[in-house]
Tab-separated table of all heavy atoms in Angstrom:
chain	number	residue	atom	x	y	z
A	31	ASP	N	-5.146	-107.176	134.530
A	31	ASP	CA	-4.578	-108.353	135.184
A	31	ASP	C	-5.657	-109.425	135.181
A	31	ASP	O	-6.652	-109.327	135.893
A	31	ASP	CB	-4.173	-107.996	136.619
A	31	ASP	CG	-3.580	-109.180	137.359
A	31	ASP	OD1	-3.621	-110.307	136.824
A	31	ASP	OD2	-3.085	-108.970	138.480
A	32	GLU	N	-5.472	-110.450	134.357
A	32	GLU	CA	-6.515	-111.453	134.211
A	32	GLU	C	-6.839	-112.143	135.525
A	32	GLU	O	-7.960	-112.573	135.752
A	32	GLU	CB	-6.108	-112.490	133.164
A	32	GLU	CG	-4.912	-113.303	133.559
A	32	GLU	CD	-4.107	-113.758	132.350
A	32	GLU	OE1	-4.015	-113.002	131.383
A	32	GLU	OE2	-3.559	-114.870	132.408
A	33	ARG	N	-5.877	-112.243	136.435
A	33	ARG	CA	-6.125	-112.934	137.698
A	33	ARG	C	-7.112	-112.168	138.567
A	33	ARG	O	-7.820	-112.746	139.365
A	33	ARG	CB	-4.808	-113.117	138.454
A	33	ARG	CG	-3.843	-114.080	137.784
A	33	ARG	CD	-2.487	-114.024	138.430
A	33	ARG	NE	-1.909	-112.691	138.357
A	33	ARG	CZ	-0.738	-112.360	138.886
A	33	ARG	NH1	-0.033	-113.255	139.547
A	33	ARG	NH2	-0.283	-111.132	138.762
A	34	SER	N	-7.171	-110.842	138.398
A	34	SER	CA	-8.016	-110.040	139.277
A	34	SER	C	-9.423	-109.843	138.736
A	34	SER	O	-10.316	-109.473	139.477
A	34	SER	CB	-7.375	-108.663	139.508
A	34	SER	OG	-7.338	-107.926	138.300
A	35	ILE	N	-9.650	-110.091	137.435
A	35	ILE	CA	-10.967	-109.785	136.886
A	35	ILE	C	-11.655	-110.979	136.248
A	35	ILE	O	-12.754	-110.838	135.736
A	35	ILE	CB	-10.888	-108.654	135.845
A	35	ILE	CG1	-10.168	-109.136	134.587
A	35	ILE	CG2	-10.261	-107.417	136.402
A	35	ILE	CD1	-10.386	-108.223	133.413
A	36	PHE	N	-11.039	-112.170	136.307
A	36	PHE	CA	-11.659	-113.253	135.553
A	36	PHE	C	-13.042	-113.597	136.071
A	36	PHE	O	-13.858	-114.159	135.347
A	36	PHE	CB	-10.757	-114.505	135.485
A	36	PHE	CG	-10.586	-115.267	136.760
A	36	PHE	CD1	-11.568	-116.119	137.241
A	36	PHE	CD2	-9.402	-115.141	137.471
A	36	PHE	CE1	-11.379	-116.840	138.405
A	36	PHE	CE2	-9.210	-115.865	138.638
A	36	PHE	CZ	-10.202	-116.704	139.110
A	37	GLY	N	-13.354	-113.231	137.299
A	37	GLY	CA	-14.678	-113.512	137.839
A	37	GLY	C	-15.795	-112.748	137.161
A	37	GLY	O	-16.950	-113.148	137.225
A	38	ILE	N	-15.496	-111.606	136.510
A	38	ILE	CA	-16.550	-110.815	135.881
A	38	ILE	C	-16.615	-111.049	134.371
A	38	ILE	O	-17.476	-110.481	133.702
A	38	ILE	CB	-16.366	-109.312	136.167
A	38	ILE	CG1	-15.090	-108.778	135.510
A	38	ILE	CG2	-16.386	-109.030	137.652
A	38	ILE	CD1	-14.960	-107.263	135.576
A	39	LEU	N	-15.731	-111.858	133.823
A	39	LEU	CA	-15.728	-112.142	132.395
A	39	LEU	C	-16.484	-113.439	132.120
A	39	LEU	O	-16.632	-114.272	133.004
A	39	LEU	CB	-14.287	-112.271	131.892
A	39	LEU	CG	-13.462	-110.992	131.890
A	39	LEU	CD1	-12.019	-111.308	131.543
A	39	LEU	CD2	-14.028	-109.978	130.910
A	40	PRO	N	-16.946	-113.623	130.875
A	40	PRO	CA	-17.582	-114.897	130.546
A	40	PRO	C	-16.582	-116.037	130.631
A	40	PRO	O	-15.383	-115.831	130.460
A	40	PRO	CB	-18.073	-114.687	129.111
A	40	PRO	CG	-17.188	-113.621	128.556
A	40	PRO	CD	-16.879	-112.725	129.721
A	41	THR	N	-17.076	-117.227	130.870
A	41	THR	CA	-16.189	-118.385	130.922
A	41	THR	C	-15.669	-118.693	129.530
A	41	THR	O	-16.227	-118.274	128.512
A	41	THR	CB	-16.939	-119.614	131.453
A	41	THR	OG1	-17.992	-119.939	130.533
A	41	THR	CG2	-17.520	-119.349	132.836
A	42	VAL	N	-14.612	-119.473	129.478
A	42	VAL	CA	-14.019	-119.830	128.196
A	42	VAL	C	-15.013	-120.591	127.328
A	42	VAL	O	-15.078	-120.390	126.104
A	42	VAL	CB	-12.719	-120.637	128.409
A	42	VAL	CG1	-12.986	-121.985	129.053
A	42	VAL	CG2	-11.959	-120.801	127.105
A	43	THR	N	-15.825	-121.437	127.937
A	43	THR	CA	-16.774	-122.217	127.146
A	43	THR	C	-17.884	-121.338	126.579
A	43	THR	O	-18.316	-121.528	125.434
A	43	THR	CB	-17.370	-123.355	127.988
A	43	THR	OG1	-17.809	-122.830	129.248
A	43	THR	CG2	-16.352	-124.451	128.233
A	44	ASN	N	-18.346	-120.363	127.346
A	44	ASN	CA	-19.369	-119.464	126.816
A	44	ASN	C	-18.804	-118.554	125.726
A	44	ASN	O	-19.513	-118.207	124.772
A	44	ASN	CB	-19.994	-118.641	127.942
A	44	ASN	CG	-21.012	-119.441	128.730
A	44	ASN	OD1	-21.529	-120.443	128.245
A	44	ASN	ND2	-21.289	-119.023	129.949
A	45	MET	N	-17.542	-118.153	125.852
A	45	MET	CA	-16.925	-117.363	124.791
A	45	MET	C	-16.863	-118.162	123.492
A	45	MET	O	-17.101	-117.626	122.405
A	45	MET	CB	-15.527	-116.912	125.216
A	45	MET	CG	-15.531	-115.905	126.343
A	45	MET	SD	-13.869	-115.325	126.745
A	45	MET	CE	-13.598	-114.197	125.391
A	46	ILE	N	-16.542	-119.438	123.593
A	46	ILE	CA	-16.486	-120.291	122.407
A	46	ILE	C	-17.879	-120.412	121.785
A	46	ILE	O	-18.035	-120.328	120.558
A	46	ILE	CB	-15.895	-121.667	122.764
A	46	ILE	CG1	-14.398	-121.518	123.069
A	46	ILE	CG2	-16.124	-122.681	121.644
A	46	ILE	CD1	-13.756	-122.750	123.669
A	47	ARG	N	-18.903	-120.576	122.620
A	47	ARG	CA	-20.270	-120.663	122.096
A	47	ARG	C	-20.671	-119.372	121.374
A	47	ARG	O	-21.330	-119.411	120.321
A	47	ARG	CB	-21.254	-120.951	123.232
A	47	ARG	CG	-21.164	-122.366	123.801
A	47	ARG	CD	-22.293	-122.627	124.792
A	47	ARG	NE	-22.230	-123.981	125.315
A	47	ARG	CZ	-21.688	-124.294	126.492
A	47	ARG	NH1	-21.173	-123.345	127.268
A	47	ARG	NH2	-21.672	-125.553	126.890
A	48	VAL	N	-20.313	-118.235	121.954
A	48	VAL	CA	-20.646	-116.962	121.313
A	48	VAL	C	-19.941	-116.840	119.966
A	48	VAL	O	-20.539	-116.408	118.972
A	48	VAL	CB	-20.286	-115.784	122.246
A	48	VAL	CG1	-20.367	-114.449	121.500
A	48	VAL	CG2	-21.219	-115.753	123.448
A	49	ASP	N	-18.686	-117.241	119.903
A	49	ASP	CA	-17.961	-117.241	118.626
A	49	ASP	C	-18.688	-118.096	117.588
A	49	ASP	O	-18.839	-117.698	116.434
A	49	ASP	CB	-16.540	-117.786	118.816
A	49	ASP	CG	-15.561	-116.751	119.326
A	49	ASP	OD1	-15.967	-115.584	119.490
A	49	ASP	OD2	-14.391	-117.108	119.548
A	50	HIS	N	-19.127	-119.280	118.008
A	50	HIS	CA	-19.849	-120.158	117.087
A	50	HIS	C	-21.099	-119.468	116.546
A	50	HIS	O	-21.382	-119.516	115.338
A	50	HIS	CB	-20.263	-121.448	117.801
A	50	HIS	CG	-19.129	-122.338	118.172
A	50	HIS	ND1	-19.265	-123.403	119.072
A	50	HIS	CD2	-17.827	-122.363	117.782
A	50	HIS	CE1	-18.115	-124.023	119.198
A	50	HIS	NE2	-17.213	-123.402	118.431
A	51	THR	N	-21.853	-118.833	117.430
A	51	THR	CA	-23.081	-118.153	117.022
A	51	THR	C	-22.804	-117.076	115.989
A	51	THR	O	-23.506	-116.957	114.979
A	51	THR	CB	-23.765	-117.526	118.254
A	51	THR	OG1	-24.089	-118.559	119.184
A	51	THR	CG2	-25.036	-116.783	117.860
A	52	HIS	N	-21.767	-116.296	116.226
A	52	HIS	CA	-21.465	-115.176	115.329
A	52	HIS	C	-21.016	-115.657	113.950
A	52	HIS	O	-21.416	-115.098	112.930
A	52	HIS	CB	-20.406	-114.286	115.961
A	52	HIS	CG	-20.884	-113.595	117.196
A	52	HIS	ND1	-20.048	-113.174	118.204
A	52	HIS	CD2	-22.130	-113.277	117.601
A	52	HIS	CE1	-20.769	-112.617	119.174
A	52	HIS	NE2	-22.028	-112.675	118.830
Side-chain angles (χ1 to χ4, degrees):
D31 180 352
E32 65 210 36
R33 292 170 301 178
S34 66
I35 69 164
F36 70 78
I38 66 171
L39 292 173
T41 63
V42 66
T43 48
N44 282 339
M45 292 183 77
I46 290 170
R47 289 188 179 98
V48 169
D49 278 357
H50 292 166
T51 300
H52 294 154

